[in-house]
Amino acid sequence: MKRSLLLTSGFLSGALFLTGCAGESNSGTEGEEDRTKISFIHWRGEDKAVLDDLIAQFEEENPAVSVEMTIYPSEQYQATGQRLLQDGSTGDVFTSFPGAQFEAIASAGLFEDLSGEDFVSNFDEELISVGQKDGAQLALPYQLVFNMPVYNKGMFEELGLEVPKSWSEFQTMADTLLENDITPIAFPGADIGPNQFMNSMMMNNAPDEDVFEKLQNGEESLTNEWWVKTLEDFQLLEQKSYIQKDALGTSQDSAMAMVANEEAAMLATGSYHMSALLDLNPDLELDLMAPITVEESEAMYEGINTATFMLAVNSKSEKKEQAKEFIAFLSQPEIASQYANETGQHLTINDVEYESEVLQNTAYWIDERKTRFQPRFLITNAQIEAAVLSSIENVLGGAEPMEAAKEAQQIVDENRD
Amino acid sequence: MKTSKSIYLFFLPGLFLYAIFFVYPTISALFYSFTDWDGLSSSFQFVGVENYERAFTGDTVFRKTIGNNLKFMLVVVVFQTLVALAFALIVLKNTKTTIFLRALYFFPTILSSVSVAFIWSFIYDPSLGILNQLLELIGLEFLAQNWLGNANIAIYSLAVTQIWFHAGQMLIIFVAGLQAIPEELYEVAKIEGASKWQTFRNVTWPLLAPSATIVVAYTTIQSFKAFDLVFAMTGGGPNNSTEIVATYIFDIAFRSYQFGYASAISVIFMVIIAIITYLQFKVLRSNRISY
């Protein structure tokens, strides 16, 4: 009897204690409720720590506003993220990819027009045009990415190699690497390889920046020389073992491991992998290099850039002013500098000070090199984009370039708007 | 009378949930299949049967996904059923060893599909993967493959993963079916001098038909609707060789913003599954025997 009484009183005490805790928590929540809570959604899980810190700073500067950040995996965000915006309750501030996703969100009218906002002038004018549509600034790209191979500069110096300026030089360089038992290019064909590497492989084969717009409206064809030549170049990489065996089965992590272990000289992805590679092997000395697939005199571009992680305000939001305050905060040069240095990303913000060695060493690509906007993001129809990428996979799987181009063109024709 | 009427009230929660989670989405999909809705905008146009015409006559990838789905389904249905039946016969007795084996065979079922996809992607990795390394170790390096990167075999590699993942569930159904067969029939077969194969052929298999019907029908539907493993392991590639209808619907709806067209494909897909399931039940039921 005594035991059951003890148990009962213990249970009641516990319940009262928990109720007390809940009360304390509620009083805390009441304080929270006085603040306007805005929702910030994006896909960059690797930036959580620095963004948590920046949000804390923002909340300190703006005591009336709190920010709830939700991060989705990038695949999920790209596929379904925009649906969260529809009722305005989520994503007061959200991010968007350029290309098909930007077009879809813009067509649905979910972007608040940011033209005329003071903070727009904090961004490099030339780098934010990808967030414009019909004369309105709908989104502001925050990150500047170079979607071209990262290469082991130290290894090149050791072997006396220079960055090739033509397709023949590229092949000579690749042969030298092979002679030294080094795979020239680690190609993550099982996931992002084709998406990324197609850009630099085609940039000089099709220097017309409207080529994909023309493909979508029927003026161009994948069976034309610019794309067949690109596929032939991919075939050459595969046949001469310039990319690793079984590249289509290689994941991003495996390809990164090859470069980090110095089994491969280049990683066919982009600048966004540099800090991760350095985490795997801090002794690496890295830089960027795109294959030039034409003769030196014909080369118009040296690399690829993408302004992405486009910050935007949900037009359905009831907290647009607070959302804009948050973007204004992120676009301050000193805040952006912290973000850039802690994430290893170049940014589109003016006057950012890059402190990390790898960012400083590659910052010359922003102003001094002739780069073009990532062609893949200029394909606004996702089915056509998939057809283009599939033709690369088809060739790497053994198909003849023209056959692969024809097969892909048929899908393009079926999906043309 | 009053009591019998009140019994119907107990059906209401179930009916309510069924209406919300099945009837309403089905009617919605049918409705949107006649529109050009992009899934985001508040407005759309009615386009009649245009989406259905496109699916049947103007979409090469959709036709390819149907072919991939059929290959995947055939391999999974045949081998998953055989594997589950073999396992069930092995673990039928309730000894300590068979209880352990039953748990072992059932184990993959409790994993999440993402974990399974991760594990098997690693197993299949052409350079770092365990499978190729194992083949090399036992002198069968000529069998080493680019399991997920080769367009000719990737769909079968995925089928193996699917079988590994779900065979344990089917094992439980077969074990229940086997335990329901009267022991006397086996004793009679023994007295009559029937061999093990004859006993299986004439006693076990016919009486297992109800369980087999459930297993085959369920496996067919499950393999036709497979999405998560394919999405996580290959994303439909390389060159659409593993693109199946479910992943294609996802692509069309959420990447291409063509909800109307995706709805039309979903409706076609639903009809195909319904027909196959009906035919299976009909064929398998007609083969049932009772003693």
Side-chain angles (χ1 to χ4, degrees):
Chain A
M1 184 66 183
K2 271 186 181 176
R3 198 177 168 205
S4 64
L5 265 174
L6 269 172
L7 279 170
T8 310
S9 59
F11 172 76
L12 283 172
S13 309
L16 286 169
F17 174 75
L18 288 172
T19 312
C21 288
E24 276 172 24
S25 174
N26 280 341
S27 65
T29 310
E30 274 168 29
E32 283 285 313
E33 280 170 3
D34 294 338
R35 307 167 81 178
T36 303
K37 185 189 275 183
I38 59 170
S39 150
F40 172 39
I41 61 170
H42 65 91
W43 63 82
R44 285 200 48 95
E46 58 271 54
D47 295 355
K48 185 180 181 302
V50 63
L51 283 169
D52 278 339
D53 185 32
L54 295 180
I55 286 169
Q57 291 180 47
F58 171 75
E59 288 175 343
E60 202 175 312
E61 270 186 34
N62 299 272
V65 186
S66 67
V67 179
E68 185 181 62
M69 176 169 67
T70 310
I71 305 171
Y72 297 89
S74 62
E75 273 285 311
Q76 188 186 339
Y77 193 88
Q78 190 152 18
T80 59
Q82 66 280 354
R83 292 188 60 76
L84 301 168
L85 309 170
Q86 285 173 304
D87 69 354
S89 61
T90 306
D92 300 297
V93 176
F94 68 98
T95 52
S96 161
F97 291 93
Q101 192 187 52
F102 174 76
E103 290 296 324
I105 297 173
S107 300
L110 295 172
F111 282 120
E112 176 74 2
D113 185 3
L114 300 176
S115 312
E117 298 291 339
D118 289 344
F119 54 78
V120 175
S121 60
N122 291 343
F123 291 78
D124 184 325
E125 198 179 347
E126 285 183 17
L127 296 173
I128 58 174
S129 60
V130 68
Q132 294 166 359
K133 190 173 171 72
D134 301 329
Q137 189 73 51
L138 301 181
L140 290 158
Y142 197 53
Q143 294 185 354
L144 182 62
V145 171
F146 295 100
N147 308 74
M148 55 209 236
V150 177
Y151 81 100
N152 185 332
K153 197 176 172 183
M155 181 188 281
F156 268 51
E157 282 168 2
E158 267 179 40
L159 296 172
L161 291 169
E162 289 193 358
V163 172
K165 291 177 181 158
S166 68
W167 194 220
S168 52
E169 282 185 21
F170 186 89
Q171 291 175 57
T172 307
M173 173 273 293
D175 287 333
T176 308
L177 287 166
L178 283 174
E179 283 162 18
N180 285 278
D181 293 328
I182 295 163
T183 302
I185 306 165
F187 181 79
D191 40 51
I192 60 168
N195 302 16
Q196 301 298 295
F197 202 34
M198 70 160 268
N199 298 295
S200 44
M201 287 295 284
M202 65 157 287
M203 67 185 181
N204 286 308
N205 290 342
D208 176 4
E209 294 192 80
D210 295 330
V211 73
F212 281 125
E213 192 185 332
K214 290 176 181 168
L215 179 72
Q216 291 186 142
N217 66 27
E219 289 175 47
E220 270 291 354
S221 167
L222 292 177
T223 56
N224 289 347
E225 198 197 341
W226 61 278
W227 188 249
V228 176
K229 159 83 166 68
T230 303
L231 293 179
E232 283 168 355
D233 293 342
F234 268 106
Q235 188 183 42
L236 183 139
L237 295 179
E238 203 272 0
Q239 288 178 342
K240 289 199 165 186
S241 301
Y242 293 162
I243 57 175
Q244 83 281 10
K245 188 173 170 280
D246 296 331
L248 283 178
T250 304
S251 68
Q252 185 174 272
D253 290 340
S254 299
M256 284 174 69
M258 287 176 72
V259 178
N261 298 337
E262 304 201 56
E263 291 165 36
M266 287 177 267
L267 175 66
T269 59
S271 59
Y272 52 89
H273 270 149
M274 292 171 95
S275 52
L277 282 172
L278 289 171
D279 285 343
L280 291 171
N281 181 355
D283 296 332
L284 292 176
E285 196 184 337
L286 302 171
D287 203 339
L288 299 161
M289 173 185 68
I292 306 298
T293 57
V294 293
E295 289 309 308
E296 188 178 351
S297 58
E298 296 166 21
M300 287 183 66
Y301 299 103
E302 294 171 279
I304 300 293
N305 74 69
T306 305
T308 183
F309 201 63
M310 304 205 293
L311 297 165
V313 173
N314 187 345
S315 66
K316 301 277 176 72
S317 165
E318 290 176 357
K319 302 157 194 169
K320 288 176 195 162
E321 287 314 308
Q322 291 85 352
K324 287 174 187 172
E325 275 175 37
F326 184 57
I327 295 181
F329 174 82
L330 291 177
S331 69
Q332 293 169 22
E334 62 276 20
I335 297 298
S337 297
Q338 184 186 340
Y339 177 82
N341 291 311
E342 291 187 26
T343 60
Q345 301 289 335
H346 292 110
L347 297 189
T348 57
I349 305 290
N350 294 318
D351 306 320
V352 170
E353 288 184 17
Y354 298 114
E355 287 164 10
S356 83
E357 197 179 340
V358 69
L359 288 177
Q360 281 179 345
N361 290 346
T362 51
Y364 71 95
W365 279 94
I366 300 172
D367 303 316
E368 297 168 27
R369 292 302 179 96
K370 178 78 174 158
T371 60
R372 66 178 278 188
F373 184 75
Q374 181 179 174
R376 183 173 70 92
F377 275 147
L378 298 173
I379 312 174
T380 53
N381 180 317
Q383 293 306 106
I384 293 179
E385 181 190 339
V388 170
L389 296 172
S390 287
S391 67
I392 297 171
E393 293 172 350
N394 206 359
V395 165
L396 293 178
E400 282 304 312
M402 182 52 95
E403 290 309 309
K406 279 181 187 168
E407 198 178 303
Q409 182 58 36
Q410 186 184 344
I411 297 169
V412 171
D413 290 336
E414 289 170 357
N415 286 281
R416 196 178 293 129
D417 296 328
Chain B
M1 189 64 187
K2 197 178 174 184
T3 313
S4 66
K5 272 187 180 174
S6 66
I7 284 172
Y8 290 109
L9 289 173
F10 288 98
F11 288 110
L12 282 179
L15 276 175
F16 180 70
L17 291 174
Y18 184 74
I20 287 184
F21 293 110
F22 182 75
V23 179
Y24 174 70
T26 305
I27 293 170
S28 292
L30 194 61
F31 173 80
Y32 286 117
S33 72
F34 297 107
T35 72
D36 67 351
W37 189 42
D38 65 6
L40 287 173
S41 305
S42 51
S43 60
F44 52 81
Q45 303 283 324
F46 280 96
V47 295
V49 292
E50 199 178 283
N51 288 326
Y52 290 93
E53 275 178 32
R54 179 180 164 196
F56 287 116
T57 61
D59 189 345
T60 312
V61 179
F62 176 59
R63 289 197 291 278
K64 198 169 179 180
T65 63
I66 295 277
N68 291 340
N69 243 131
L70 288 172
K71 281 183 212 167
F72 185 77
M73 183 196 76
L74 279 173
V75 174
V76 171
V77 170
V78 171
F79 288 97
Q80 188 165 295
T81 305
L82 291 176
V83 167
L85 179 60
F87 285 172
L89 290 167
I90 291 168
V91 303
L92 188 60
K93 288 175 188 170
N94 276 325
T95 65
K96 277 185 181 173
T97 316
T98 55
I99 289 169
F100 169 74
L101 284 175
R102 205 180 288 187
L104 188 72
Y105 295 151
F106 190 72
F107 170 71
T109 309
I110 63 170
L111 297 173
S112 76
S113 50
V114 175
S115 308
V116 171
F118 180 79
I119 291 166
W120 278 85
S121 295
F122 180 67
I123 290 171
Y124 282 142
D125 189 291
S127 48
L128 303 173
I130 298 165
L131 184 54
N132 279 355
Q133 287 182 17
L134 192 69
L135 289 169
E136 280 172 31
L137 197 71
I138 58 175
L140 297 173
E141 59 271 15
F142 62 93
L143 289 177
Q145 293 287 331
N146 186 1
W147 300 101
L148 297 175
N150 182 335
N152 296 320
I153 61 168
I155 192 80
Y156 304 109
S157 305
L158 290 174
V160 170
T161 308
Q162 174 87 356
I163 292 166
W164 182 84
F165 189 21
H166 291 294
Q169 281 176 310
M170 304 306 121
L171 158 85
I172 300 298
I173 298 171
F174 274 132
V175 167
L178 286 167
Q179 284 173 338
I181 298 173
E183 194 62 34
E184 299 83 46
L185 293 173
Y186 289 110
E187 284 167 13
V188 171
K190 205 173 176 182
I191 292 164
E192 294 287 331
S195 66
K196 280 190 175 175
W197 168 247
Q198 284 172 326
T199 308
F200 177 79
R201 172 74 184 83
N202 297 306
V203 179
T204 309
W205 181 243
L207 290 171
L208 209 54
S211 305
T213 307
I214 294 167
V215 167
V216 171
Y218 184 71
T219 306
T220 304
I221 297 167
Q222 192 185 50
S223 58
F224 233 86
K225 286 164 61 182
F227 172 81
D228 35 16
L229 285 181
V230 180
F231 186 76
M233 289 175 74
T234 62
N239 190 29
N240 297 320
S241 62
T242 60
E243 192 83 84
I244 55 174
V245 181
T247 55
Y248 190 55
I249 289 171
F250 183 87
D251 276 349
I252 293 285
F254 298 108
R255 289 200 174 117
S256 299
Y257 312 101
Q258 300 175 49
F259 264 70
Y261 183 48
S263 300
I265 295 178
S266 304
V267 171
I268 296 167
F269 190 41
M270 195 175 71
V271 171
I272 292 172
I273 291 178
I275 291 170
I276 291 176
T277 310
Y278 171 75
L279 290 175
Q280 274 183 341
F281 269 98
K282 206 169 176 189
V283 170
L284 290 168
R285 272 176 193 274
S286 67
N287 289 337
R288 274 189 195 179
I289 293 172
S290 55
Y291 291 99

